[in-house]
Amino acid sequence: MDALEILSSPITWAVTVGTLYIFYRYVTSTFNYFSDQGISGPKPMPFFGNMWGIWKSNLSEYDMSLVKKHGKVFGYYDGPQPNLWITDLELIKAIFVKDFDHFVDRRTFNFKTKIVRKWLTVVKGKEWKDIRSSVTPAFTTGKIKRMSLLIKECVEILSIRISAVAQSEGKMNAKLIYGAFTMDVIARCAFGLKIDSLGNKDDPFIKNAQFIFNPPTSKTPLILLPCSRWQNGADVVTRGDKRNCDRPVINVVTFQKSTLFLLAGFDQTATTLTNTCFQLARNPDIQEKLHETILQKLEDYVCHIFEDVCHEMVQDMPYLEQIIQEVLRFYPASLRTERMCTKDISYDHGGGRIHIKKGVLVTVPIYAVHHSEEYYPDPETFDPERWNPENKVKRNPYSFMAFGAGPRNCIGMRFAMEELKFAITALVKQFRFFPVEETPEKLRFDVGFQPALQPMNAILGIELRQPN
Ligand code: HEM
């Protein structure tokens, strides 16, 4: 039999069609998981589930449109993996807090490197519990207060840098400068390194860390492969560099803790700082009110003697806190968070019952929760007054998910808030932010499957304030 005969044989065709059919059934075998329960959702396609095209989408808009179309609870497929999307606050509370022992984990990634496999964000079950309880003491009030001294040193360098920019160009690329600043803070607090991040963009420490947060794969279908390239970048960073290692690491003693600091905090804090300054530039009345509050607090606190900002002062600035909370509502740096079901459970919902089996994912699209008209009337208006005590108390706390919720929420929340408060106070005290020609009317964010919001073209005018 020659090749042509084999190809034209009915048996060959029958075997091929049969194999393709079995394969098709296999790759779509999970796709009735939600429909069998009467849970609606977008129609999945073989191999990709609902993820086709995600690498060229703007994730915040993508999530908003899904929630708008399919409601507070719907079924989605990450490839073949069933993923229940929820913006219902009672369900969020049940899954993230009340029934946490059914939802301890996040999804499984097949990481190659030993270090990444141990990161707190990805470890599972008992291993997560053990690592979380060993890392938690790094974030006590006392430790954060001690770290604030290092943060302050970095803020001083940042101020010098911005002052030079204000006097030369009069405008700055906020994300670039703040990315270098938050890298500097991490290098000092976690690695005991003094890096010249503000002066040298080619520093390998910075380049490698930036690669992790904006990997080339985020804009291609390769993102659907279980993350691979960026793990290598992570290894390069965590191997570190011994230059300028003249300061002891004050509170981070294990390698796990150091990598945790670097990878979890750097980008989201820089993004939040960028977004805050953008909103201050676009809302001069809010910026001036904050400036007056800062001057008043400097009068009230002992740190005024040193003409300086201190831990106690930044902890006692409710208006600053309101602004940061509104920034994190408006632009949650993490767009989504998730849990993986570790023990079967079911819930009453919408007159029916939702069964969540072990292995099923649950996703909270944070951006969509924060921009829901129901939870935040007029959600596209930036308004720090939403967070004054009178308004805040009326709101369900699970409508604010910027740092997640429950026992597996963001462990670095207080550290991030300290860093943000120090930087914003010191900057608004000395400088005025304002829009220039290049400043967009509304901030736009990069497309691709980014783990966090990536602001684009955040060019802001900057000028030194005259001393009072
Ligand atoms: C504005 C800055 C930050 C934002 C918006 C943010 C947001 C988040 C969110 C939404 C989660 C998921 C929580 C959940 O699933 O319930 C998370 C987890 C985490 N964050 Fe942050 N984060 C920030 C800064 C930091 C910093 C500075 C650090 C470290 C110093 C950090 C360390 C972590 C870690 C380790 C986890 C995983 C916790 C676990 O799985 O137990 N984050 N963060």
Side-chain angles (χ1 to χ4, degrees):
M1 236 190 207
D2 63 15
L4 204 65
E5 276 174 33
I6 295 174
L7 273 179
S8 56
S9 149
I11 299 173
T12 309
W13 281 99
V15 170
T16 311
V17 170
T19 311
L20 284 176
Y21 179 71
I22 292 167
F23 189 58
Y24 174 81
R25 289 302 298 259
Y26 174 72
V27 294
T28 57
S29 60
T30 52
F31 288 173
N32 57 353
Y33 182 78
F34 292 116
S35 52
D36 282 357
Q37 302 187 47
I39 301 170
S40 63
K43 198 169 159 38
M45 59 194 278
F47 303 107
F48 296 98
N50 298 112
M51 295 181 83
W52 178 256
I54 201 162
W55 54 88
K56 46 183 187 206
S57 313
N58 178 303
L59 221 58
S60 50
E61 288 167 10
Y62 176 86
D63 289 5
M64 286 281 285
S65 70
L66 277 178
V67 172
K68 217 172 185 171
K69 194 159 172 200
H70 301 286
K72 285 185 182 175
V73 177
F74 63 89
Y76 185 95
Y77 294 89
D78 291 4
Q81 165 84 53
N83 186 341
L84 184 75
W85 280 44
I86 56 171
T87 53
D88 178 281
L89 304 185
E90 286 314 308
L91 210 49
I92 292 177
K93 183 178 172 186
I95 289 173
F96 279 68
V97 184
K98 202 166 68 58
D99 301 319
F100 177 70
D101 60 326
H102 290 254
F103 296 95
V104 179
D105 298 340
R106 297 203 179 89
R107 79 181 62 207
T108 304
F109 283 113
N110 295 317
F111 289 117
K112 283 188 244 154
T113 68
K114 273 194 200 147
I115 298 161
V116 176
R117 258 188 263 131
K118 298 287 174 197
W119 281 345
L120 193 58
T121 40
V122 297
V123 285
K124 292 173 179 284
K126 177 159 180 338
E127 192 177 16
W128 166 76
K129 248 181 212 157
D130 292 346
I131 296 181
R132 175 101 186 189
S133 49
S134 81
V135 174
T136 299
F139 297 97
T140 59
T141 308
K143 296 274 172 63
I144 286 184
K145 193 171 168 186
R146 280 165 63 195
M147 280 190 275
S148 74
L149 300 175
L150 298 182
I151 294 175
K152 202 170 122 194
E153 283 180 19
C154 299
V155 170
E156 276 160 13
I157 297 171
L158 174 69
S159 300
I160 293 169
R161 174 80 171 168
I162 293 188
S163 179
V165 174
Q167 287 168 64
S168 56
E169 294 147 59
K171 61 186 175 189
M172 65 181 205
N173 181 331
K175 181 69 200 286
L176 213 65
I177 290 193
Y178 295 145
F181 159 69
T182 56
M183 180 61 68
D184 211 4
V185 170
I186 292 155
R188 260 175 224 232
C189 290
F191 293 83
L193 286 172
K194 275 186 184 171
I195 54 166
D196 181 19
S197 61
L198 290 164
N200 180 12
K201 279 182 267 163
D202 295 326
D203 189 307
F205 188 92
I206 297 157
K207 278 176 88 172
N208 289 321
Q210 282 171 341
F211 175 78
I212 292 166
F213 288 99
N214 207 351
T217 48
S218 72
K219 293 187 185 66
T220 74
L222 291 176
I223 194 67
L224 300 183
L225 297 172
C227 308
S228 55
R229 276 197 67 188
W230 61 271
Q231 297 163 37
N232 306 336
D235 242 7
V236 180
V237 174
T238 52
R239 242 180 271 138
D241 184 332
K242 297 284 176 281
R243 291 157 306 151
N244 293 327
C245 207
D246 60 352
R247 178 182 292 280
V249 178
I250 58 164
N251 69 333
V252 184
V253 286
T254 67
F255 201 60
Q256 157 68 25
K257 290 176 190 173
S258 297
T259 56
L260 150 84
F261 250 87
L262 174 62
L263 293 156
F266 144 72
D267 200 53
Q268 288 160 312
T269 314
T271 293
T272 306
L273 205 45
T274 303
N275 300 341
T276 307
C277 293
F278 174 83
Q279 284 296 352
L280 292 177
R282 281 273 164 226
N283 296 281
D285 46 338
I286 295 175
Q287 185 174 180
E288 289 320 300
K289 183 171 170 188
L290 178 62
H291 181 246
E292 277 159 32
T293 314
I294 292 168
L295 295 186
Q296 183 58 53
K297 287 289 167 189
L298 283 165
E299 299 256 316
D300 296 349
Y301 276 83
V302 184
C303 40
H304 177 56
I305 296 170
F306 308 106
E307 289 233 331
D308 224 340
V309 179
C310 62
H311 171 79
E312 288 74 13
M313 175 187 158
V314 297
Q315 288 307 317
D316 183 25
M317 293 182 61
Y319 190 58
L320 174 60
E321 180 122 2
Q322 281 176 224
I323 292 174
I324 298 174
Q325 278 178 313
E326 179 64 352
V327 169
L328 283 165
R329 177 198 72 83
F330 207 85
Y331 311 108
S334 285
L335 290 168
R336 301 172 177 176
T337 191
E338 70 182 18
R339 294 290 181 269
M340 178 170 270
C341 180
T342 45
K343 273 190 269 173
D344 297 5
I345 194 165
S346 43
Y347 295 102
D348 288 331
H349 183 77
R353 205 145 170 86
I354 303 173
H355 301 282
I356 308 179
K357 273 195 352 201
K358 182 177 172 177
V360 169
L361 282 171
V362 178
T363 288
V364 174
I366 301 175
Y367 188 93
V369 173
H370 288 190
H371 286 258
S372 146
E373 183 82 48
E374 181 185 342
Y375 308 142
Y376 296 96
D378 198 7
E380 302 312 320
T381 299
F382 180 83
D383 180 11
E385 291 312 319
R386 293 179 203 273
W387 299 97
N388 70 31
E390 197 186 317
N391 289 334
K392 190 175 169 179
V393 78
K394 291 185 208 148
R395 207 174 304 118
N396 183 324
Y398 295 94
S399 60
F400 184 70
M401 291 288 291
F403 292 104
R408 200 159 185 175
N409 71 348
C410 175
I411 199 171
M413 176 175 73
R414 294 174 64 222
F415 178 81
M417 287 300 280
E418 183 86 7
E419 189 177 346
L420 288 167
K421 286 177 178 174
F422 253 89
I424 298 164
T425 307
L427 294 179
V428 174
K429 178 186 146 210
Q430 295 170 76
F431 305 102
R432 182 178 291 109
F433 297 97
F434 56 92
V436 288
E437 214 183 317
E438 298 96 314
T439 311
E441 200 58 43
K442 285 184 174 174
L443 262 187
R444 297 285 305 159
F445 297 92
D446 205 359
V447 297
F449 194 70
Q450 311 275 358
L453 279 181
Q454 296 294 343
M456 296 192 299
N457 305 325
I459 310 290
L460 302 177
I462 179 91
E463 66 186 8
L464 266 166
R465 287 178 185 269
Q466 298 307 319
N468 282 11

